[in-house]
Amino acid sequence: MSVHSQSQRVTVPQLMACKGSQKIAALTAYIAPIARLLDDALDMILVGDSTAMVGYALPDTLSISVSTMTAHAAAVVRATHHACVIVDMPFGSYQQSPAQAFANAAAMLAGSGVSGVKLEGGAALAETTRFLVDRGIPVLAHVGLMPQYMNVMGGFKAQGMTQMAADRILADARAHADAGAFGVVLEGISEPLARQITEALAIPTIGIGASPRCDGQILVTEDILGLSGDRIPKFAQRFGDAATVIREAAQRYAQSVREETFPTLDQCFGVRPLG
Ligand code: KIV
């Protein structure tokens, strides 16, 4: 159970205050029924653009739109009362200019009720982080392996394996922290680098394929529930088996339909003896 009061939604300043005192537990959610079940346990829910791959079976995250992400974020906010909900800004909705980023981020906040946005990008995007934060939009930065930059990075590969690459990622994280980001997601980087960034920054780091020493952890919910097929990423772990629960329920339902044990007359309206 999250240590934050269950009667109020966790705020961005409360997440920041976790640094050095308690770990931040975060997961993704895209739809109301899952978000409702996760809410009490978590400090933060991310409406990730990974929904493109996980929810829409697309090959990457590049084609999801602002309106689709806003609709998912609104559903997650309506279904929850506790966890701080943050939404991913989709590819192409913020990279052009800080003004473009503000227009889209403001529309996403107004249209969904989330508490902030996440954006992927190196130091070049720090100016955008500052522009949003100065205008009232909390920003969670995302550095290291950035799925929206897969075409530049040559796929989904762990980052920061050379000293030069590691120095650049540290500089990226610092730039966003200096620009006012409330936290930074460290994805797919070497463990010593994740530890070094966590020690260097005054804001929380949230790791995914990073280090147990990060200030918090995030995973894709479908990976921890066994809903991502047979293969899960090296950095994830299955904490439950929802796949078996769902598959077996579907089989029992189908069998009941075929055997005519479902529905019963008690489940019907205006029942008269069958002729
Ligand atoms: O889109 C996503 O789900 C993410 C995380 C898992 C960090 O960005």
Side-chain angles (χ1 to χ4, degrees):
M1 189 78 83
S2 159
V3 299
H4 295 108
S5 158
Q6 288 291 331
S7 60
Q8 280 169 344
R9 197 178 283 284
V10 178
T11 63
V12 164
Q14 283 175 318
L15 289 179
M16 295 181 82
C18 289
K19 177 101 190 173
S21 64
Q22 65 168 99
K23 297 280 185 181
I24 296 171
L27 286 168
T28 58
Y30 321 119
I31 57 172
I34 299 283
R36 199 173 286 126
L37 295 173
L38 303 181
D39 192 30
D40 286 353
L42 300 180
D43 306 302
M44 189 185 98
I45 292 178
L46 173 71
V47 184
D49 61 354
S50 52
T51 191
M53 299 169 79
V54 177
Y56 290 87
L58 288 162
D60 53 52
T61 59
L62 301 184
S63 55
I64 199 109
S65 67
V66 168
S67 59
T68 301
M69 289 302 297
T70 306
H72 282 287
V76 169
V77 170
R78 283 194 295 269
T80 56
H81 63 274
H82 173 67
C84 183
V85 182
I86 302 296
V87 67
D88 253 335
M89 296 203 69
F91 177 67
S93 71
Y94 62 96
Q95 286 96 342
Q96 192 179 343
S97 67
Q100 180 216 23
F102 180 78
N104 284 317
M108 292 175 86
L109 252 70
S112 67
V114 294
S115 302
V117 299
K118 174 164 84 58
L119 54 84
E120 296 176 15
L125 268 292
E127 183 196 354
T128 298
T129 291
R130 186 178 301 285
F131 195 88
L132 298 189
V133 175
D134 285 351
R135 286 159 183 76
I137 300 182
V139 172
L140 178 62
H142 179 153
V143 304
L145 197 174
M146 300 177 287
Q148 293 185 13
Y149 297 70
M150 55 169 278
N151 287 313
V152 176
M153 293 181 163
F156 300 117
K157 292 190 223 156
Q159 302 292 311
M161 298 302 160
T162 64
Q163 191 56 51
M164 208 164 68
D167 290 347
R168 207 205 58 234
I169 294 169
L170 172 60
D172 290 343
R174 266 195 217 283
H176 284 287
D178 292 347
F182 73 84
V184 57
V185 169
L186 305 178
E187 177 166 358
I189 61 174
S190 74
E191 194 281 330
L193 173 61
R195 217 176 331 137
Q196 186 189 2
I197 296 174
T198 301
E199 282 161 14
L201 300 189
I203 57 170
T205 59
I206 302 180
I208 172 164
S211 168
R213 301 286 276 278
C214 288
D215 300 300
Q217 300 293 330
I218 185 162
L219 285 174
V220 168
T221 295
E222 284 71 7
D223 286 343
I224 73 157
L225 293 180
L227 294 176
S228 307
D230 290 338
R231 291 188 47 162
I232 59 165
K234 170 186 162 70
F235 52 77
Q237 185 175 322
R238 214 161 266 177
F239 286 88
D241 185 8
T244 302
V245 172
I246 294 172
R247 198 178 290 117
E248 288 182 358
Q251 276 159 1
R252 283 199 298 276
Y253 164 75
Q255 190 179 355
S256 299
V257 169
R258 291 181 191 119
E259 291 173 352
E260 297 186 33
T261 56
F262 176 84
T264 63
L265 287 180
D266 288 348
Q267 290 160 321
C268 298
F269 301 99
V271 176
R272 283 195 217 108
L274 293 177

